[in-house]
């Protein structure tokens, strides 16, 4: 190639044709012969006429210039002009190109390929065979023609990982295996790679080695971390330089699911600095939508950091042992939890078995003591797969036998019976305050307000493991919060209630911070290899060298420790991985990684890649010549008068009409099965009016009596109160929904089948959400309450998996004795058995001058007795009593009291403990005759 005036020419001898242009100019400028002049009188008649087809007597200069330029363009185009010609490197024989081929070179990958193409073109002109060695995918060297390699350049892509030591060793072995000598040209990304020295020595042993670099710093971004309510990011560059400002983009999905830029924030490299820190504060809702952060203008995997479960908005399921029935929010066990978690988490409500399939991040059990076997098994499996179970104590847990003799799997410690309360046998004398949090506690560093105190708690049994499980304690050393690992998950217990009944902790800002640290921020830390031991992670999306995500396809799973600690490579690619309900991102740069610039040996020449590649311009010059020749033809026709003007017509013609096809709205189909027609009719019937229900036992005669008994009670309610019940319904615990019925009557027989696990889950949800069950053993004529009869033993078996609080016989001041009628006895067909309800709190006191204690904090979920109430209530189709009760007027009086008990019971279910309010005292005193 010959270079003239900055242009290279592959056929410079054709430029001699430019010397002939002056001769061509003279020939084309020749004047036609002069015409013979003759006088003709008739010419006077032509004066004033215009000849539209006048012909010029000589060629205009501007037309001659167009023709000369066209000829010059043809000559230059055929001479093979090249823009930015490169100096031809010396050397002969085979030539090897070594490519780092990783994400560090991705932002300038097009320039690198253009430079490589130029080098290959030069090698092709010199007739040198060429081989290309990619360090991120080393293969045996294959020397081929340069043109063959040029056709394969579009298929070369940068990898999303840096060359590993194993890959550099494999590349060195491929170089040593070559039999011939060759020169090498290394197109470097500018970063240092461990194990490169051996490869350099192997290349120099084969021939001359030259390194080419871009001279630009490599930019990367570290993984995102969430601390103190902000997202922290660090940007790195490989070379120091002047101050530079860049932008970090937060990419994610909008509410419609469309990828968008959610936020943009500037970050500045100070003069000479190699890193720049960024703290980004985003609302929790927006933070949960972010899927990646990227450095604007840097198209590489290293300039992208993916997010995972550590930044998304958490889902927290809230379940209480007993919902507040009186509408007093401040007494609800979930009120303070909702207020504390609502700003930073999505709250889920429902039954335990309904919420587990939704895979929440945290499940909170507020004073839930007993779990059905199916609930316990499913919850344990959920925790072992990585869930966090957060439990709060309360009266139910303190009175239960859970985790007493041996540690319950779903409790972090064993508990003492009864707990610890002011004024009790283990009185403190004064409420205790919180001790400073230990350094290894998730609450470490939180300031403790002086006004936070604890007046009651459940006590932990002293065990060898107790000290390791305490993460918060009181000033006297008693545990306040304990925690243990269970599989991949955790179980945490607050030894106080979730409301302000036992402590003032829920009233303080510390409560919000503790829940944030425990349930939200703790998930923002990257898991260690030890924490991921025994797990397998499936790749969902993997990232290429340009930072673009794609579906992982059939890539194999990766074990947890490898995902956490192993270097990236062909078998471990950056991207998003999941295991069960957990999602983890493996990014190119870790928290401790740095970008180290390459340091080449002194005997290796390092050159900068050409900013502009060679560009042949022969084609554009020939195209210019054709345009000029076309202009010459048009100008010649115009000068000869043969180019008539065309009268244009401007008309607006519609080429095509686009008709919008009707598009139906895309509607998401519910994943849950649609209810059947029978289920819909049942729901309408049960929910249309207040309906009393009884549990079907499988004994036809007993079920008919229960139906007739509830029919008699419904008639009594209709005639004596404002309640107008519908026809009673018998329900199947496995098939029917219980939420429609405020009250269930359940007669007990020795041979009735035990409910299924699914039925127990429904029953526990029913009791926790405010429903009431009346258990009737119907054995008061043969035994007292307990296991003295087959019916009593069957009741104990049926009730064992239910979350039933401690019980006591109905006290004389219980609200059940005055909700509608003033009663002290609750007979049915029998009148001897005691009736049991939820025990009153131990601190319930009777104020002087009051006829009853203040029991306005809840409604008993169960009433248990054996007086056969349905038999006393039962009526036939004409409304007459179906079964005898006692003898004569005494029996009828007993039946009347039984109906009054039924009325009081239903009113108690519907109105709660409002008759304990002070406003009713004057009327009750008047009726009591006091």
């Amino acid at each position: 190639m010959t270079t003239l005036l900055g242009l290279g020419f592959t056929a410079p001898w054709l430029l001699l044709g430019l010397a002939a242009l002056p001769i061509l100019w003279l020939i084309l400028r020749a004047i036609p012969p002069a015409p013979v002049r003759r006088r003709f009188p008739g010419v006077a008649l032509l004066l004033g006429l215009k000849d539209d087809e006048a012909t010029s007597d000589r060629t205009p200069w501007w037309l001659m210039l167009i023709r000369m330029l066209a000829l010059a363009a043809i000559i230059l185009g055929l001479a093979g002009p090249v823009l930015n010609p490169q100096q031809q490197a010396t050397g002969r024989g085979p030539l090897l190109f070594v490519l780092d081929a990783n994400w560090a070179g991705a932002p300038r990958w097009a320039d690198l390929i253009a430079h490589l193409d130029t080098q290959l073109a030069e090698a092709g002109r010199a007739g040198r065979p060429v081989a290309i060695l990619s360090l991120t995918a080393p293969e045996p060297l294959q020397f081929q023609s340069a043109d063959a390699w040029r056709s394969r350049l579009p298929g070369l892509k940068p990898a999303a990982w840096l060359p590993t030591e194993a890959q550099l060793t494999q590349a060195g072995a491929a170089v040593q295996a070559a039999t011939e000598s060759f020169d090498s040209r290394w197109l470097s990304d500018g970063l240092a790679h461990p194990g490169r020295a051996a490869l350099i020595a192997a290349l120099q042993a084969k021939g001359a080695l030259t390194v080419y670099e871009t001279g630009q710093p490599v930019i990367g971004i570290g993984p995102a971390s969430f601390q103190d309510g902000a997202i922290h990011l660090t940007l790195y560059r490989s070379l120091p330089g002047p101050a530079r400002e860049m932008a970090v983009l937060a990419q994610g999905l909008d509410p419609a699911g469309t990828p968008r830029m959610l936020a943009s924030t500037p970050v500045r490299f100070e003069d000479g600095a190699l890193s720049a820190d960024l703290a980004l504060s985003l609302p929790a809702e927006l933070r949960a939508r972010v899927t990646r952060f990227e450095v604007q203008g840097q198209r590489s995997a290293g300039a992208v950091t993916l997010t995972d479960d550590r930044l998304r908005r958490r889902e927290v399921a809230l379940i209480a042992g007993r919902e507040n029935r009186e509408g007093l929010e401040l007494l609800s066990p979930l009120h303070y939890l909702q207020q504390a978690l609502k700003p930073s988490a999505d709250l889920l409500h429902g039954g335990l078995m309904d919420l587990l399939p939704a895979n929440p991040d945290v499940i909170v059990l507020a004073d839930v003591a007993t779990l059905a076997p199916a609930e316990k098994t499913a919850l344990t499996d959920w925790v072992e797969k990585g869930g966090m179970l957060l439990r709060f104590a309360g009266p139910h847990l303190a009175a239960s036998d859970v985790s007493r003799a041996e540690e319950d799997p779903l409790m972090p410690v064993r508990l003492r019976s009864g707990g610890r309360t002011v004024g009790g046998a283990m009185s403190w004398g004064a409420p205790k305050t919180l001790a400073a949090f230990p350094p290894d506690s998730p609450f470490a560093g939180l300031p403790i307000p002086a006004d936070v105190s604890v007046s009651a708690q459940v006590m932990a049994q002293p065990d060898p493991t107790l000290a390791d499980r305490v993460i918060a304690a009181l000033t006297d050393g008693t545990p306040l919060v304990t925690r243990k690992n269970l599989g991949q998950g955790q179980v945490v217990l607050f030894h106080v209630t979730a409301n302000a009944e036992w402590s003032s902790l829920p009233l303080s800002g510390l409560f919000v911070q503790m829940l944030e640290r425990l349930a939200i921020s703790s998930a923002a830390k990257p898991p260690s290899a030890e924490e991921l031991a025994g797990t397998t992670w499936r790749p969902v999306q993997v990232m290429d060298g340009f930072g673009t995500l794609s579906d992982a396809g059939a890539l194999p799973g990766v074990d947890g420790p490898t995902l956490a600690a192993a270097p990236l490579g062909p078998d471990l690619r950056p991207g998003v991985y999941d295991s069960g309900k957990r999602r983890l991102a493996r990014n190119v740069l870790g928290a401790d990684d740095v970008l180290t610039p390459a340091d080449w040996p002194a005997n290796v020449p390092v050159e900068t890649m050409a900013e502009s590649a060679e560009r042949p311009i022969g084609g554009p010059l020939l195209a210019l010549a054709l345009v000029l020749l076309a202009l010459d033809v048009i100008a010649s026709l115009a000068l000869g008068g043969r180019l008539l003007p065309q009268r244009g017509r401007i008309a607006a013609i519609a080429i095509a009409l686009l008709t919008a096809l009707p598009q139906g709205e895309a509607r998401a189909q519910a994943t849950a099965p649609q209810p059947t027609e029978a289920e819909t009719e049942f729901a309408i019937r049960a929910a249309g009016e207040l309906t009393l229900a009884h549990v079907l036992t499988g004994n036809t005669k007993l079920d008919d009596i229960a139906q007739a008994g509830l029919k008699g009670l419904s008639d009594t309610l209709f005639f004596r109160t404002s309640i107008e019940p519908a026809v009673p319904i018998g329900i199947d615990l496995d098939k029917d929904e219980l939420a429609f019925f405020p009250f269930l009557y359940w007669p007990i027989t020795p041979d009735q089948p035990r409910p299924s696990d699914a039925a127990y889950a429904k029953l526990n949800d029913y009791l926790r959400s405010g429903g009431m069950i009346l258990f009737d053993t119907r054995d008061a004529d043969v035994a007292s309450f307990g296991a003295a009869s087959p019916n009593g033993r069957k009741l104990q078996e049926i009730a064992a998996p239910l979350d039933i609080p401690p019980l006591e016989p109905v006290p004389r001041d219980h609200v059940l004795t005055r909700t509608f009628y003033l009663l002290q006895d609750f007979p049915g067909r029998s009148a001897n058995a005691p009736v049991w309800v939820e025990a009153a709190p131990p601190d319930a006191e009777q104020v002087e001058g009051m006829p009853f204690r203040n029991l306005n904090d809840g409604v008993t979920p169960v009433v248990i007795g054996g007086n056969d109430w349905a038999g006393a209530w039962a009526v036939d189709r004409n409304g007459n009593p179906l079964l005898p009760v006692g003898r004569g007027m005494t029996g009828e009086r007993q039946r009347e009291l039984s109906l009054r008990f039924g009325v009081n019971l239903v009113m108690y279910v519907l109105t709660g403990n409002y008759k304990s309010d002070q406003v009713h005292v004057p009327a009750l005193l008047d009726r009591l005759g006091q």
Side-chain angles (χ1 to χ4, degrees), residues 306-323:
L306 304 174
T307 65
D308 50 23
D309 292 343
R310 289 171 282 174
L311 288 188
R312 71 174 177 83
R313 190 175 175 91
R314 316 295 287 172
E315 290 185 345
V316 180
L318 301 180
I319 301 173
R322 291 285 307 284
E323 291 287 355

Side-chain angles (χ1 to χ4, degrees), residues 297-384:
Q298 299 292 318
R299 187 168 173 256
S300 76
V304 173
T305 182
L306 304 174
T307 65
D308 50 23
D309 292 343
R310 289 171 282 174
L311 288 188
R312 71 174 177 83
R313 190 175 175 91
R314 316 295 287 172
E315 290 185 345
V316 180
L318 301 180
I319 301 173
R322 291 285 307 284
E323 291 287 355
N324 179 44
R325 291 283 305 277
E326 298 301 315
L328 301 178
E329 291 187 357
L330 297 181
L331 298 177
S332 170
L334 300 182
H335 172 73
Y336 296 97
L337 290 170
Q338 291 172 341
Q339 298 303 313
L341 294 172
K342 187 184 301 181
S344 56
D346 292 328
L347 303 183
L348 307 179
H349 297 273
L352 180 60
M353 299 304 290
D354 295 329
L355 293 174
L356 282 174
N359 277 331
D361 300 289
V362 182
I363 292 180
V364 179
L365 299 184
D367 195 21
V368 176
T370 307
L371 296 171
E375 292 178 315
K376 190 172 184 179
T377 301
L379 186 57
T380 302
D381 182 65
W382 174 83
V383 174
E384 289 178 343

